[in-house]
Amino acid sequence: SWQREYLLRIIPDDDQVIHPQWIKYYDELPPKTLRAYRCTYAAVDLAISKKDSADFTAIVSALVFGRADKLRIYILPNPIIKKLNFPEQVDLLKTYNDTVLDDSHDVLLVEGVGYQDALPQMLETLGIKATTVKPTTDKRTRLALTAPLIQSAKVKFPKKGAEEIIRQ
């Protein structure tokens, strides 16, 4: 689809928000038993159509350790990037909640714009707590806000399994 090609196109260095040399990797995830472990976050960017021209639903998760200067965020490998309809999203997030978000402190963040507000409501009827996040800026601006965390290595990526989100 043109959106996928647009997202995966090479961007001139002066237009990039995140520079490749800023990306830092981890070999192993720190254990959740560390005192600094706070919780696992999963962020969901929804798209409802399965048409070729439609956007993809994406779920990216991270383990979060520490706070302020000691904050460390470890992006989990193999984010979900699929074309899903509404019932498939509900089923996937129910399974995801039961497997990846297995602690009561874990947080499921769902972008809530238009139709997307229905998903957290549906999940709630299934006993799944989902926090709706209403974006106030465009995706490029939101990405720019994460740049200092990535550049300072507070956000780290797996050596394998995050190639597509890094490329995007």
Side-chain angles (χ1 to χ4, degrees):
S1 74
W2 71 268
Q3 287 99 337
R4 187 172 179 89
E5 290 170 18
Y6 176 80
L7 284 174
L8 298 179
R9 70 180 165 67
I10 304 298
I11 297 172
D13 286 346
D14 358 348
D15 291 343
Q16 287 186 332
V17 177
I18 306 294
H19 297 276
Q21 65 270 23
W22 295 353
I23 305 290
K24 301 297 183 256
Y25 299 93
Y26 61 83
D27 291 314
E28 286 184 22
L29 284 168
K32 292 181 179 182
T33 54
L34 289 179
R35 187 171 180 207
Y37 174 69
R38 290 175 45 200
C39 67
T40 301
Y41 282 87
V44 183
D45 184 5
L46 297 170
I48 63 165
S49 176
K50 292 177 79 172
K51 294 178 185 174
D52 286 344
S53 62
D55 287 335
F56 290 79
T57 292
I59 305 172
V60 178
S61 296
L63 301 185
V64 178
F65 292 82
R67 298 178 191 283
D69 291 341
K70 296 186 181 200
L71 176 70
R72 296 295 178 268
I73 300 170
Y74 296 86
I75 303 298
L76 295 178
N78 307 315
I80 294 170
I81 304 171
K82 291 183 171 181
K83 291 188 182 205
L84 302 167
N85 61 33
F86 187 78
E88 290 169 335
Q89 289 172 346
V90 171
D91 289 344
L92 175 63
L93 288 171
K94 184 173 183 340
T95 301
Y96 204 82
N97 185 70
D98 294 343
T99 56
V100 178
L101 304 176
D102 56 356
D103 186 278
S104 63
H105 294 97
D106 292 343
V107 179
L108 177 63
L109 302 168
V110 179
E111 185 177 28
V113 177
Y115 121 88
Q116 297 167 341
D117 284 334
L119 186 61
Q121 293 170 15
M122 176 60 80
L123 293 172
E124 190 175 318
T125 66
L126 299 171
I128 299 168
K129 183 181 174 205
T131 303
T132 302
V133 178
K134 298 212 180 269
T136 56
T137 59
D138 62 83
K139 288 185 181 187
R140 183 177 174 82
T141 302
R142 294 194 308 267
L143 181 60
L145 293 171
T146 68
L149 294 173
I150 293 171
Q151 187 175 18
S152 66
K154 289 183 184 289
V155 175
K156 293 185 178 184
F157 295 83
K159 285 187 175 178
K160 290 187 179 182
E163 296 83 2
E164 187 162 350
I165 62 169
I166 290 170
R167 197 170 32 251
Q168 289 182 21

